[in-house]
Amino acid sequence: MSRRTLTALALTAFVLPLSACGSGGDGGGSADASGRIEGDITFQTWNLRANYKDYFEGLIADFEKKYPGTHVKWVDQPAEGYADKISADAAAGTLPDVVNVSPDLLAPLAKAGLATDLDKTAAQYKKEYLPGAWDGQRIPGLPGTYAFPWYLNTGPMFYNKALFEEAGLDPDEPPTTYDELFADALRMAKQSNGRVATLGNVPTIEDFGRYGASLMNEDGTAFTFNDAKGVELLTKYKQLYDAKALDPQALTATPESTGKKFLTGAVAMNPGSALDLENFKKQAPSLYKNIGITDQISNTGHVNMYVMGLMVNATTRHTPAAIAFAHFVTDAENQMAFAKKVAIFPSTAGSLDDPYFTKEDGTDVTRVRVAAAKSLKTAVNYTPVLFSDQMKTVLRNEVAKALQGKESPKAALDNAVKACDRLLKQQG
């Protein structure tokens, strides 16, 4: 599975067709979860079959053994077009019983009354999950919690020590704040005559959050990332872009293309996960020998985390079985088993205190895992739940205009906020 899927960087969102909106403004349904656990249900995942077929088939077999009379049909959708597929199923009334969602995919489903409110139907399980993970399945403007927390992810920043050293920077003292990052990046670009960029991607909504900008008002009705901090961040990125401290191709970069530039030494820093270390070792031994590992750059003291959940369809004909299965997949035992197969982290209370996440064995892999697990205890999901895929595109386009000098950073962010607020009203 690609890093894009693992870290939920493909957190895309959509606006449900009006024909799918059924419950007004009260949010998801509160179907009766009492009764016998039986019946046929469908479980949908997001790009997981290729690498984890045995795990999920075993999980389903264990559930069906525990609850005779149940049958789980597993369907797995590709990463590409996943949001469109959910939207089409929601409109057609063919949404599976248990659905793998990110918070921004969940939001329109909850607003349309298609997500079961777990605070009403499964409140007894709340204490089993990290408070931040349970709260991460809430939707601004709606009462309730609309998905079982599943896996979490975060990752460090990798940096090329050799490139830092060539630029006269201390390879053992990487930047930890944005001010330090910008200073180091400008120096590296100057020393290399623009050959080496420190960063390969334009700022995203998460960067504005980590920088300290306010992203949204408290009641979730308007975006605010065009505040003084937001403008300051984009102004700094414009300086990097002009100095070639930000890769010239950053405007069209993808995580994969930036990763390749990091491998070849054209970019000095790149976000990633423990999975990447194995790739470095195989594909770029000279980089692996010089790899530095540090925390995400942040002015807030909190790193960014990505969250996944399992939503129970409010219109399922087998609510008890669907609730029981979603809980079974996300309980502490099964999340821990999954975490040992994939570089992700469980959302269940106490799991991050397991020796697997707290003890290093001298390898880089465990170093990354232990550091990430520790940071997750105070991590924040900076991406607003209501920040849709369309809004991400709007922000990216306006950022590009600012970097190219077509608009001032202030005008670009004002335009982005105005367009995102308009899209937000359409969601309602």
Side-chain angles (χ1 to χ4, degrees):
M1 184 161 58
S2 72
R3 183 177 72 217
R4 179 174 180 264
T5 305
L6 270 176
T7 59
L9 291 178
L11 294 182
T12 52
F14 56 97
V15 179
L16 283 171
L18 290 177
S19 59
C21 298
S23 73
D26 293 332
S30 55
D32 184 7
S34 62
R36 185 168 171 157
I37 297 171
E38 61 182 1
D40 295 356
I41 59 172
T42 302
F43 167 48
Q44 178 171 290
T45 53
W46 182 355
N47 196 27
L48 294 174
R49 184 183 293 272
N51 292 303
Y52 309 106
K53 182 171 179 281
D54 291 346
Y55 170 79
F56 284 103
E57 287 182 345
L59 192 68
I60 289 166
D62 289 346
F63 178 79
E64 291 174 346
K65 185 178 178 183
K66 183 175 181 180
Y67 297 104
T70 61
H71 176 71
V72 179
K73 179 185 177 184
W74 175 33
V75 294
D76 185 68
Q77 301 293 348
E80 210 62 45
Y82 188 69
D84 293 336
K85 173 63 176 166
I86 290 182
S87 181
D89 284 345
T94 56
L95 202 62
D97 302 279
V98 178
V99 187
N100 179 185
V101 288
S102 54
D104 50 347
L105 290 179
L106 177 63
L109 296 171
K111 286 185 173 185
L114 295 173
T116 298
D117 181 357
L118 300 180
D119 284 342
K120 293 178 180 176
T121 55
Q124 70 271 29
Y125 299 128
K126 179 178 178 179
K127 63 183 181 298
E128 296 180 21
Y129 301 88
L130 292 168
W134 188 267
D135 290 343
Q137 311 301 326
R138 298 186 186 280
I139 310 300
L142 297 180
T145 300
Y146 297 98
F148 281 98
W150 196 9
Y151 57 88
L152 311 174
N153 216 339
T154 191
M157 282 290 282
F158 292 117
Y159 66 100
N160 187 323
K161 287 186 173 185
L163 294 178
F164 269 67
E165 206 159 9
E166 284 172 22
L169 296 166
D170 187 342
D172 297 318
E173 292 290 336
T176 58
T177 67
Y178 277 94
D179 282 349
E180 292 173 359
L181 172 66
F182 297 144
D184 287 357
L186 289 170
R187 176 165 180 167
M188 191 172 292
K190 186 177 180 181
Q191 292 293 110
S192 67
N193 291 318
R195 182 180 56 83
V196 178
T198 297
L199 300 176
N201 289 296
V202 299
T204 62
I205 195 69
E206 294 95 335
D207 287 299
F208 285 93
R210 281 192 298 245
Y211 191 74
S214 165
L215 302 182
M216 205 169 191
N217 65 8
E218 284 187 18
D219 56 3
T221 57
F223 292 100
T224 56
F225 53 83
N226 59 337
D227 65 1
K229 279 286 185 187
V231 174
E232 185 178 287
L233 176 68
L234 189 49
T235 301
K236 297 279 190 184
Y237 262 86
K238 167 68 172 155
Q239 293 169 0
L240 296 188
Y241 186 72
D242 290 345
K244 295 189 177 177
L246 174 66
D247 185 69
Q249 294 176 340
L251 303 185
T252 56
T254 64
E256 289 77 16
S257 67
T258 309
K260 285 176 184 170
K261 291 207 165 195
F262 182 65
L263 281 177
T264 61
V267 169
M269 297 189 81
N270 201 45
S273 72
L275 284 183
D276 294 299
L277 289 169
E278 203 58 40
N279 292 335
F280 298 155
K281 191 183 282 187
K282 289 177 187 170
Q283 298 175 29
S286 60
L287 170 65
Y288 182 76
K289 190 176 64 180
N290 289 293
I291 202 75
I293 305 169
T294 189
D295 288 337
Q296 294 174 23
I297 308 296
S298 172
N299 288 347
T300 65
H302 302 284
V303 304
N304 186 58
M305 75 169 173
Y306 302 97
V307 299
M308 278 289 179
L310 288 186
M311 184 203 89
V312 174
N313 185 347
T315 65
T316 178
R317 290 183 298 160
H318 301 289
T319 301
I323 291 280
F325 182 72
H327 172 250
F328 184 78
V329 174
T330 62
D331 70 17
E333 183 181 347
N334 287 317
Q335 284 211 50
M336 181 61 82
F338 193 42
K340 288 183 177 180
K341 291 183 176 295
V342 199
I344 48 90
F345 300 87
S347 62
T348 38
S351 295
L352 294 177
D353 295 323
D354 187 275
Y356 184 73
F357 296 112
T358 59
K359 293 197 184 306
E360 293 187 33
D361 61 8
T363 63
D364 285 336
V365 171
T366 58
R367 182 181 158 200
V368 171
R369 183 168 66 229
V370 169
K374 184 179 178 185
S375 69
L376 273 172
K377 292 183 178 180
T378 58
V380 174
N381 179 18
Y382 285 107
T383 305
V385 169
L386 301 175
F387 200 70
S388 70
D389 192 48
Q390 285 174 291
M391 294 172 192
K392 289 173 188 173
T393 300
V394 164
L395 177 58
R396 188 178 182 91
N397 289 343
E398 290 296 333
V399 163
K401 289 176 187 175
L403 296 181
Q404 292 170 319
K406 295 177 180 177
E407 292 177 350
S408 71
K410 178 77 168 75
L413 291 181
D414 285 347
N415 289 338
V417 162
K418 201 177 297 180
C420 290
D421 283 347
R422 191 164 57 244
L423 289 167
L424 185 63
K425 287 194 176 81
Q426 291 173 13
Q427 281 184 9

